[in-house]
Amino acid sequence: MQSKTHQAVLDLASRAETIFRELPDLPLAARVEAINLLRRLLHQYSPFSGEPVDCVQWVPGDEVVGNDYNPNTVAPPEMRLLERSIGADGFTQPIVAHLDEDDRSIVVDGFHRQRVGKKTGPIKARLHGYLPLAYVRSDRGDIASRIAATIRHNRARGVHGVAPMTDVVVNLLRSGWTDGEVARELGMDDDEVLRFKQVSGLPELFRDHEYSPSWS
């Protein structure tokens, strides 16, 4: 015999399905808007409401903007493989983004996935010009936090160019982060941070650096 709780779940799902059956009658844009809104409402009552992936939204591709600080590089063969993967398997993970003050969705992770999704071709047609986005928590929206999130997301997945990665470290240090914060937030050790500071060649980054005593 089914428990009363299980039956209540089935009754709730049945009532929800009655509403969902109205969705196909809406034009595409209105249907997507309704689906996004329903997901946001559901997200409010979810025990996983603190997790961005709990509320994936479909956003028009022309409202999604790649960031200008990502040091991750993907070679042409890997880009072709990524396109093949999305083409064959679909989008299995959303693009992570931040909503700025102009309501633009700025990519935090998934820069290359958004390029594939926006490229004219069968994938874009299949997605009706939309991209799946999960938004970072609102308290992680400042530029330094977003840069750190990007590095954490892709550091183990790709090859970071030395020059772009140096720029990232320099920007974070100039924003007020300490060497220890950079190391901790980007998954580096102290020596890595020091090497990037040395590559930058900027004396200002060594202003508070403690040097070891010289050999006598």
Side-chain angles (χ1 to χ4, degrees):
M1 175 179 289
Q2 293 178 328
S3 68
K4 291 183 178 180
T5 299
H6 182 62
Q7 187 57 51
V9 169
L10 294 178
D11 291 343
L12 179 62
S14 178
R15 295 198 301 275
E17 187 178 8
T18 299
I19 297 174
F20 297 159
R21 290 197 190 104
E22 300 177 20
L23 290 172
D25 296 331
L26 296 173
L28 176 65
R31 194 187 324 166
V32 174
E33 181 182 2
I35 289 171
N36 285 341
L37 178 55
L38 289 169
R39 285 181 174 166
R40 292 198 298 273
L41 290 172
L42 185 62
H43 182 59
Q44 293 179 20
Y45 298 93
S46 170
F48 311 108
S49 59
E51 307 301 326
V53 76
D54 187 62
C55 188
V56 175
Q57 300 281 285
W58 288 98
V59 179
D62 56 7
E63 296 178 11
V64 181
V65 182
N67 64 63
D68 57 3
Y69 53 78
N70 189 358
N72 198 46
T73 58
V74 177
E78 282 71 29
M79 278 298 296
R80 290 192 292 270
L81 180 60
L82 177 61
E83 186 170 352
R84 167 63 180 161
S85 173
I86 294 175
D89 304 322
F91 261 92
T92 57
Q93 53 183 316
I95 295 160
V96 182
H98 158 72
L99 196 64
D100 73 0
E101 59 276 5
D102 297 320
D103 289 332
R104 298 181 308 164
S105 298
I106 311 298
V107 175
V108 171
D109 179 65
F111 179 84
H112 299 97
R113 294 196 297 281
Q114 65 94 22
R115 281 183 54 193
V116 169
K118 292 165 72 171
K119 178 182 176 181
T120 300
I123 294 176
K124 182 177 180 179
R126 190 179 74 203
L127 298 176
H128 305 288
Y130 288 84
L131 293 173
L133 268 61
Y135 289 95
V136 296
R137 298 165 179 161
S138 58
D139 62 346
R140 303 293 295 173
D142 63 279
I143 183 62
S145 294
R146 282 187 280 132
I147 290 175
T150 295
I151 304 305
R152 283 195 297 268
H153 274 85
N154 67 23
R155 184 165 158 77
R157 293 201 307 258
V159 178
H160 286 167
V162 173
M165 193 63 191
T166 300
D167 290 340
V168 166
V169 171
V170 168
N171 286 335
L172 292 177
L173 291 171
R174 282 176 167 169
S175 74
W177 285 26
T178 65
D179 289 15
E181 288 172 326
V182 171
R184 182 178 65 253
E185 296 295 332
L186 302 191
M188 297 178 177
D189 56 38
D190 293 340
D191 285 342
E192 285 182 281
V193 177
L194 177 59
R195 285 197 295 272
F196 282 117
K197 290 169 65 174
Q198 291 170 335
V199 169
S200 75
L202 298 174
E204 65 189 83
L205 301 183
F206 294 90
R207 185 178 300 117
D208 301 319
H209 185 78
E210 294 185 7
Y211 293 92
S212 301
S214 300
W215 287 96
S216 56

